[in-house]
């Protein structure tokens, strides 16, 4: 009781000092008085008094910005010293209410929200934690370090993925441009010009830019896995594979390169997939996993792939492949079969102008109905140009030319023919001249 009265008396004295300094406009004096009051409460472990004093000091008439900033920063150091979780939450909520709407303590407020969200997550309240984090738009904070901003947004994305809010996760992830990870950190540290915002140093627990790059792409893999967007997953793994720390360690890059190969094979055929396929085949590291190199070569080679032979060869590899602790699954196995059928149809279309449906089904090792379905799907998705004469059972892979195209091709052929005639006449004339000259001699 005596200690409590003694504390109140000391606080009263310091409050009078703080008032004098504040009215005199003494920034350093006001700041010292404010931090001394908080220190007294902390030393006495009077947490309720500490919360009350923070609110009282922040609401005093004409309170200086520097004093409020110093008070919030000082109180943040006490958060980890609180005796129990309830006291910690109460202190964070008090500081949060004090810093709300004040632009000069926006960074401190963001850090407080992050701490509160972490506590909520540990308590299993993921939805509450995600809602708390979404209140803060750190991309508008000029004084916050770039790495801290990225780490904060990535935390927002992770919580949205944990609560399976994929739409919001995508919106938040677009706030980060992948080009930001390729920036040279040494070039960025310029001396701030006069009038520029001074960027604060990030806290020690914030990962480096390259570590954040890996976290970003791992989160994007989780997002794209939900939609089974194989090509985008492949591109994410490719970006992780390009990180220097990964490339130097075979224990890390071999599993990632295997995943790149699998997702390339699973991706539908398009120019981006084709480009990635060829660039991966040129990678020297691929020779370390020879069976995957052979798999990719089969897709590049214009030859029909026997599905049963391929599945027997790679079945164990496919089933043992783990992504986020789970196997690729039956859906991916079905998609793999679909991709092989699509590859085979494209190969057939390169070698044949016209083919019977029955013969196509034989080449694809499918029934006539299945072959027709897969071919129709490819035509609809514009991966292939073909026409089916169902009564005759004939497929035509040639495009129907309009009259202008036919006339143009005829004109081109005539031009070639006339060129050949002219060259032949020239050669005959040349030979005649040579022989005439020989006879004269």
């Amino acid at each position: 009781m005596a200690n409590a009265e003694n504390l109140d008396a000391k606080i009263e004295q310091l409050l009078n000092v703080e008032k004098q300094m504040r009215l005199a406009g003494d920034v350093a004096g006001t700041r010292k008085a404010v931090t001394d009051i908080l220190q007294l409460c902390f030393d006495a472990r009077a947490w309720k008094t500490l919360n009350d004093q923070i609110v009282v000091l922040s609401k005093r008439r004409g309170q200086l910005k520097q004093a409020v900033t110093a008070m919030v920063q000082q109180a943040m150091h006490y958060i980890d010293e609180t005796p129990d979780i309830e006291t910690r939450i109460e202190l964070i909520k008090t500081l949060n209410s004090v810093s709300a709407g004040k632009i000069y303590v926006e960074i401190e407020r963001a850090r407080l929200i992050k701490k509160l969200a972490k506590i909520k997550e540990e308590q299993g309240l993921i939805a509450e934690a995600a809602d708390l984090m979404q209140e803060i738009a750190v991309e508008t904070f000029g004084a916050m370090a770039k790495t801290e901003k990225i780490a904060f947004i990535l935390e927002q994305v992770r919580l949205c993925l944990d609560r399976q809010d994929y739409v919001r996760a995508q919106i938040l992830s677009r706030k980060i441009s992948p080009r930001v990870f390729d920036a040279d950190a040494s070039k960025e540290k310029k001396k701030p010009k006069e009038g520029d915002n001074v960027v604060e140093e990030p806290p020690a627990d914030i990962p480096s830019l390259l570590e954040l790059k890996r976290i970003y792409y791992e989160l994007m893999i989780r997002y794209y896995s939900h939609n089974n967007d194989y090509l985008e997953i492949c591109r994410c793994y490719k970006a992780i594979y390009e990180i220097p720390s990964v490339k130097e360690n075979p224990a890390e890059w071999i599993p990632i390169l295997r995943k790149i190969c699998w997702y390339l094979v699973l991706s539908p055929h398009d120019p981006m997939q084709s480009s990635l396929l060829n660039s991966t085949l040129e990678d020297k590291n691929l020779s370390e996993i020879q069976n995957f190199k052979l798999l990719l070569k089969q897709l590049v080679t214009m030859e029909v792939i026997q599905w049963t032979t391929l599945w027997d060869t790679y079945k164990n590899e496919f089933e043992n492949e783990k992504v986020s602790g789970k196997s690729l699954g039956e859906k991916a196995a079905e998609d793999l079969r679909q991709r092989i059928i699509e590859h085979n149809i494209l190969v057939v279309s390169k070698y044949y102008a016209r083919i019977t449906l029955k013969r196509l089904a034989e080449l694809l090792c499918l029934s006539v109905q299945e072959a027709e379905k897969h071919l129709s799907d490819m035509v609809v998705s514009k991966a292939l140009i073909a026409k089916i004469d169902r009564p005759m059972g004939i497929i035509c892979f040639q495009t129907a030319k309009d009259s202008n195209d036919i006339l143009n091709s005829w004109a081109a052929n005539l031009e070639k023919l006339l060129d050949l005639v002219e060259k032949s006449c020239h050669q005959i004339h040349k030979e005649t001249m040579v022989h005439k000259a020989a006879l004269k001699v």
Side-chain angles (χ1 to χ4, degrees), residues 20-247:
Q20 289 169 4
M21 295 293 179
R22 177 165 43 84
L23 295 175
D26 185 344
V27 174
T30 312
R31 193 189 290 146
K32 189 176 184 315
V34 165
T35 51
D36 284 351
I37 291 169
L38 298 193
Q39 191 63 44
L40 273 176
C41 296
F42 174 68
D43 292 340
R45 294 292 187 269
W47 299 105
K48 192 176 184 312
T49 311
L50 176 70
N51 288 336
D52 293 343
Q53 288 305 322
I54 289 169
V55 174
V56 167
L57 287 165
S58 69
K59 287 184 176 176
R60 299 199 93 172
R61 182 170 156 267
Q63 186 57 278
L64 302 171
K65 290 178 184 179
Q66 294 89 332
V68 175
T69 307
M71 178 176 69
V72 171
Q73 287 173 347
Q74 173 96 347
M76 280 177 74
H77 295 303
Y78 303 152
I79 291 170
D80 294 330
E81 306 291 329
T82 48
D84 53 51
I85 201 82
E86 283 78 18
T87 312
R88 185 174 301 176
I89 290 170
E90 198 57 45
L91 178 56
I92 291 171
K93 281 184 175 175
T94 303
L95 289 170
N96 190 23
S97 65
V98 165
S99 57
K102 296 182 177 71
I103 202 164
Y104 48 90
V105 283
E106 61 186 4
I107 296 175
E108 284 76 10
R109 183 163 185 259
R111 289 171 185 166
L112 287 164
I113 290 286
K114 196 173 178 182
K115 284 186 178 184
L116 187 57
K118 195 176 180 186
I119 292 167
K120 293 286 182 189
E121 191 184 1
E122 283 166 4
Q123 291 174 342
L125 305 168
I126 291 168
E128 274 189 47
D131 290 338
L132 276 169
M133 289 291 279
Q134 278 154 37
E135 288 176 16
I136 310 292
V138 288
E139 64 274 11
T140 62
F141 295 1
M144 187 182 264
K146 184 168 73 175
T147 49
E148 192 177 355
K149 277 186 196 179
I150 295 167
F152 195 95
I153 295 168
L154 290 177
E155 191 65 14
Q156 290 177 323
V157 173
R158 185 186 65 80
L159 286 167
C160 284
L161 289 173
D162 286 350
R163 73 186 288 198
Q164 296 183 338
D165 186 352
Y166 294 101
V167 175
R168 202 178 293 269
Q170 187 196 22
I171 293 165
L172 289 166
S173 69
R174 284 182 177 168
K175 291 179 181 179
I176 301 170
S177 168
R179 281 178 294 183
V180 82
F181 300 115
D182 302 324
D184 189 351
S186 59
K187 287 180 185 173
E188 289 210 351
K189 287 198 173 178
K190 298 173 188 168
K191 275 193 173 181
K193 294 176 187 172
E194 205 171 321
D196 280 0
N197 280 339
V198 178
V199 177
E200 283 193 18
E201 284 294 315
D205 62 337
I206 299 294
S208 68
L209 202 59
L210 286 174
E211 287 168 351
L212 288 168
K213 180 179 181 177
R214 185 162 189 168
I215 295 165
Y216 169 77
Y217 282 111
E218 281 170 354
L219 288 171
M220 293 319 293
I221 287 164
R222 278 181 63 189
Y223 169 73
Y224 289 124
S225 298
H226 167 68
N227 303 327
N228 288 325
D229 193 339
Y230 299 124
L231 187 61
E232 287 300 331
I233 296 170
C234 174
R235 289 177 69 191
C236 291
Y237 275 120
K238 192 88 172 164
I240 295 171
Y241 177 70
E242 296 298 333
I243 297 170
S245 60
V246 173
K247 265 205 162 172

